C-alpha cells in the first residue's frame, strides 16, 4: 500500500478524532485511551507489515486510507489473534477503527470506510455474577450496627437500591440527592444525567448517615480531606465484606448485576431496567435476560394459548 490516492497527516486526523470524542461525544478518558491505543496499534501494524517486514507505509507521510481493504483489516484481526488477544479486545479494536474511519468519511477525507462490510467475530457477553436475595441481605448486614460502619452500610444499601456504577457513586454530591422527592441525579457515561428513584430503605439509610456523619464538603461520600472517594476504596470495601461472607468474587459490578436481576425477577420489563441502569443500547441490558428463564417459562405457560 502506498500514497497513490492522497497523502494525509495521520496524527492530525487522529487528534481531530480524539477532540471529537471528547467534546461532542463526551467519551471518558478510559475510552479515549483505549481507542487511541487500538488505532495506533493498527497503524504500527501497517508500518511493520504482518510478517514484521517494513511495508513502506508511513503514518505521517504515506498513510492512504482509501487504499485500505477489508482483507487488510481481516489480516490485522488475524495478527491480533496470533498475538494472544481475546475476542473482546479484537472486537473493541475493530469498533475503534470503524468509528475513526466513519469520522474521516463524514468529513470527506476518505471515499469509503474499509470496515463497512467487514464481519467481526461475535463476542459472547459473559454471564454476570449475581447474588440471591438472601446473600444480598447478608451483605447489607455485614458492616454491623456501629456508628463507624454507618457510611459503609449506606454505600452498600445505595448501590443495591439504585444499581449505580462505582464512578457514579463516588461523584454523587449531597445536592444530587432529594430525600423528600425520593430520587437522586446520577451522572453517567459521557456525563449524561438520569433520575434514579430511591426506595424507603435507601432514603432512611442516607438520611441517618447525613444526620450522624455530617459529611464535609460537596460530595455525599467524601474522604477525610473532603474529596471524593476513589474507585479502589469502594472495591476494597465491598471485597472486605464479601470475604467475611466467604464470597471472594463480589465486586461493585456484582451488586449492579444483582440489582438488575432482582428487578427482572420481580416482574420489571427490560426497557425499564435499561433506563435505571443508564444503558444507551438495550442490547447491553439483554445480558440479564438469561437469569430469569424460569419466570419466563411460567409467564409463557400462564398466558400463552398453547403454553
Amino acid at each position: 500500500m502506498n500514497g497513490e490516492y492522497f497523502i494525509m497527516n495521520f496524527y492530525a486526523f487522529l487528534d481531530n478524532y480524539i477532540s471529537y470524542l471528547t467534546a461532542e461525544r463526551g467519551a471518558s478518558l478510559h475510552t479515549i485511551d483505549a481507542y487511541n491505543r487500538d488505532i495506533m496499534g493498527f497503524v504500527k501494524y501497517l508500518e511493520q507489515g504482518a510478517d514484521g517486514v517494513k511495508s513502506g507505509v508511513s503514518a505521517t507521510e504515506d498513510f492512504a486510507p482509501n487504499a485500505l481493504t477489508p482483507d487488510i483489516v481481516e489480516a490485522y484481526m488475524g495478527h491480533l489473534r496470533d498475538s494472544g488477544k481475546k475476542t473482546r479486545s479484537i472486537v473493541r479494536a475493530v469498533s475503534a477503527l470503524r468509528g475513526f474511519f466513519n469520522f474521516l468519511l463524514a468529513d470527506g477525507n476518505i471515499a469509503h470506510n474499509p470496515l463497512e462490510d467487514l464481519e467481526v467475530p461475535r463476542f459472547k457477553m459473559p454471564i454476570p455474577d449475581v447474588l440471591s436475595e438472601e446473600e444480598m441481605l447478608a451483605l447489607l448486614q455485614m458492616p454491623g450496627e456501629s456508628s463507624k460502619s454507618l457510611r459503609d452500610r449506606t454505600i452498600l444499601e445505595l448501590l443495591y437500591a439504585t444499581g449505580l456504577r462505582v464512578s457514579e457513586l463516588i461523584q454523587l454530591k449531597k445536592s444530587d440527592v432529594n430525600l423528600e422527592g425520593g430520587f437522586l441525579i446520577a451522572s453517567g457515561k459521557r456525563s449524561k444525567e438520569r433520575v434514579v428513584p430511591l426506595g424507603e430503605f435507601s432514603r432512611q439509610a442516607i438520611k441517618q448517615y447525613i444526620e450522624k456523619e455530617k459529611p464535609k464538603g460537596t460530595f455525599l461520600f467524601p474522604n477525610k480531606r473532603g474529596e471524593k472517594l476513589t474507585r479502589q476504596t469502594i472495591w476494597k470495601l465491598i471485597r472486605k465484606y464479601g470475604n467475611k461472607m466467604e464470597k471472594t468474587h463480589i465486586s461493585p459490578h456484582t451488586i449492579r448485576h444483582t440489582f438488575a436481576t432482582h428487578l427482572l425477577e420481580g416482574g420489571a420489563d427490560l426497557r425499564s431496567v435499561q433506563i435505571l441502569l443508564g444503558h444507551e443500547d438495550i442490547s447491553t441490558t439483554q445480558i440479564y435476560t438469561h437469569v430469569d428463564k424460569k419466570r419466563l417459562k411460567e409467564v409463557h405457560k400462564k398466558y400463552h394459548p398453547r403454553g
Side-chain angles (χ1 to χ4, degrees), residues 197-208:
L198 293 171
E200 188 60 30
F201 286 100
S202 57
R203 287 168 64 184
Q204 289 300 322
I206 296 172
K207 184 174 184 291
Q208 186 181 29

Side-chain angles (χ1 to χ4, degrees), residues 65-86:
N66 280 335
L68 286 175
T69 65
D71 289 341
I72 294 174
V73 183
E74 285 179 358
Y76 177 60
M77 289 164 55
H79 166 71
L80 293 177
R81 278 193 295 269
D82 294 341
S83 301
K85 297 293 185 182
K86 295 183 179 180

Side-chain angles (χ1 to χ4, degrees), residues 87-272:
T87 302
R88 184 171 192 166
S89 298
I90 296 173
V91 171
R92 190 197 66 201
V94 173
S95 177
L97 289 169
R98 181 177 279 124
F100 177 55
F101 287 118
N102 276 335
F103 173 76
L104 295 180
L105 183 64
D107 276 4
N109 293 307
I110 58 175
H112 74 286
N113 187 336
L115 284 78
E116 183 177 353
D117 299 318
L118 180 71
E119 291 188 7
V120 297
R122 292 195 174 192
F123 171 66
K124 187 176 181 180
M125 292 290 289
I127 296 174
D129 290 325
V130 297
L131 300 176
S132 66
E133 290 187 36
E134 293 76 15
E135 289 172 333
M136 191 64 234
L137 179 61
L139 179 63
L140 293 174
Q141 294 173 342
M142 275 295 132
E145 296 298 327
S146 69
S147 58
K148 290 184 178 179
S149 303
L150 184 56
R151 184 203 66 175
D152 293 358
R153 289 202 309 273
T154 306
I155 286 175
L156 291 174
E157 185 69 56
L158 189 55
L159 285 174
Y160 178 52
T162 61
L164 292 179
R165 302 177 178 93
V166 174
S167 57
E168 295 169 341
L169 175 79
I170 61 177
Q171 291 183 81
L172 271 182
K173 299 179 177 65
K174 288 181 283 188
S175 59
D176 292 329
V177 180
N178 187 324
L179 293 177
E180 185 176 345
F183 67 89
L184 60 79
I185 305 296
S187 181
K189 290 185 175 181
R190 299 177 183 172
S191 300
K192 290 188 176 180
E193 293 185 344
R194 71 181 187 281
V195 177
V196 183
L198 293 171
E200 188 60 30
F201 286 100
S202 57
R203 287 168 64 184
Q204 289 300 322
I206 296 172
K207 184 174 184 291
Q208 186 181 29
Y209 161 73
I210 291 177
E211 289 176 350
K212 292 187 176 181
E213 291 295 316
K214 295 179 173 58
K216 298 178 180 179
T218 303
F219 295 101
L220 181 61
F221 299 111
N223 59 20
K224 293 180 179 178
R225 297 184 298 276
E227 302 167 346
K228 68 180 181 181
L229 295 176
T230 64
R231 296 163 62 97
Q232 290 76 14
T233 298
I234 305 299
W235 273 80
K236 289 178 181 178
L237 180 153
I238 293 174
R239 185 62 56 87
K240 177 179 71 173
Y241 295 122
N243 288 338
K244 284 187 177 182
M245 293 174 56
E246 298 184 354
K247 291 280 186 181
T248 57
H249 68 282
I250 296 179
S251 71
H253 230 57
T254 305
I255 301 178
R256 181 168 160 85
H257 292 322
T258 301
F259 163 81
T261 300
H262 289 180
L263 280 174
L264 289 169
E265 289 177 345
D269 62 275
L270 202 62
R271 172 60 178 162
S272 297

